[in-house]
Structures are given as structure tokens and as C-alpha cells.
Amino acid sequence: MSVTGRGAPARSATTDREIVISRVIGAPPELVFEAFTEVRHLSRWWGPEGFSTTTRAFEFRVGGVWDFVMHGPDGTDYQEWITWTDILPPQRIAMLHGEFRDDPNAFESVLTLERDGAATLIEMRTVFPSKELRDEAVEKYHAIEGGQQTLGNLAAYVAEIVRKGAED
């Protein structure tokens, strides 16, 4: 949350359409960023607990896409489509995320990575087209818990990379 000069909380125009999740990850931003940039990494940690991912296409560049299916623990498949809209290594990744190309209900997500000593503070800010779509994501798809679990999976995956690197 930001604060105005008078000490009152600032309210952005998108506050009622946002979900913001953050976490400190015990690795430098360069390594955390790399975990997002290569499909061999993403497929190992992406998604909430119990989910797996099958990638159909992946090109990490502005305008590139990641076309994939998330497989839920109950056997449900979720078609997913991400278009990368801004990439600033190792500080920022912005994307448009929907079920398919030109999905009118697609949401924007911006990940920022900030060095915190030897660790990284990662923030995932997601803005939905409407408050109703945000509320549906929270209530029906458990987006807050899923986002927290996804960042938890990322933290565990990166910790494993760090541990293996220390053993070499």
C-alpha cells in the first residue's frame, strides 16, 4: 500500500480489481527471474499445490506466448494462454493471462523482483477487467491461496537449485 503526503492510504483506480501477493525468496533476483524465463523451470513449479503443467508453445520475449494446460489434482484441465507484454531482466515481468488468445476476460499481471540482501522480494500484482471477475477468481478459483501456493512452489524450487549449487 502506498501513502499520500497527508498520511492517508492512497487508493489506485484499480484497487477493487486487484490481487497483490508477495513473498521473500531466498535467492538473488537473477535466479528467481531465470525460473520464469525457461520452460524447463516453469514446468517444475508453476501453479498451486497439486497442479502440473503441460506446455504446448513457449517463447519468452515481449509479444511471445506461453500456451499451456494446467492439470488440476481432481483431473480438471485448464487451458491457459499468456502473452508477455514487458520484460526487464531481472526486475520485472508483465503479462496478459487468459484462457486463449484475445480472451476478453484476460487479466494483467506484473511481477516485480527486488533485491533484499541475499534474497528477493517478489510481488505479483494482478488486475482484472472488472471487480466481478476479480471476485469470481477469488471465490470460485481461490486465486489468493493459489497465488500464495504458486509463489511457495517457486520458493521451494529455487531453494532446491541453490542447495544443489552449494553441493557442486
Side-chain angles (χ1 to χ4, degrees):
M1 176 189 313
S2 59
V3 177
T4 65
R6 297 179 190 260
R11 182 169 167 86
S12 82
T14 60
T15 299
D16 65 344
R17 299 185 289 128
E18 289 182 354
I19 296 173
V20 180
I21 299 167
S22 62
R23 182 179 183 113
V24 174
I25 296 178
E30 294 80 8
L31 182 56
V32 177
F33 187 89
E34 181 184 322
F36 274 96
T37 65
E38 297 180 22
V39 73
R40 67 185 175 93
H41 292 307
L42 279 168
S43 63
R44 302 277 307 277
W45 65 266
W46 182 265
E49 292 171 14
F51 280 74
S52 63
T53 302
T54 300
T55 295
R56 295 185 288 227
F58 183 85
E59 187 176 9
F60 188 75
R61 64 170 180 79
V62 172
V65 301
W66 181 21
D67 181 10
F68 61 104
V69 179
M70 288 180 58
H71 310 285
D74 64 357
T76 303
D77 286 343
Y78 300 90
Q79 308 301 314
E80 304 287 332
W81 182 274
I82 287 177
T83 301
W84 312 108
T85 58
D86 187 39
I87 300 169
L88 179 61
Q91 302 160 328
R92 176 182 159 91
I93 301 170
M95 64 192 91
L96 188 62
H97 187 159
E99 294 180 6
F100 50 87
R101 183 189 301 269
D102 301 322
D103 181 351
N105 295 326
F107 51 87
E108 299 174 7
S109 288
V110 176
L111 296 110
T112 55
L113 294 84
E114 183 178 318
R115 187 173 302 279
D116 184 11
T120 300
L121 172 62
I122 185 168
E123 179 184 88
M124 182 168 49
R125 179 176 302 273
T126 302
V127 179
F128 292 83
S130 69
K131 178 185 183 312
E132 293 74 22
L133 286 170
R134 192 269 325 255
D135 292 348
E136 178 183 25
V138 169
E139 293 163 16
K140 183 176 179 183
Y141 298 107
H142 310 286
I144 294 170
E145 296 87 348
Q148 291 169 336
Q149 290 173 10
T150 297
L151 291 184
N153 290 342
L154 170 61
Y157 177 73
V158 170
E160 182 67 15
I161 292 173
V162 169
R163 186 186 64 74
K164 286 181 178 176
E167 292 174 355
D168 291 342

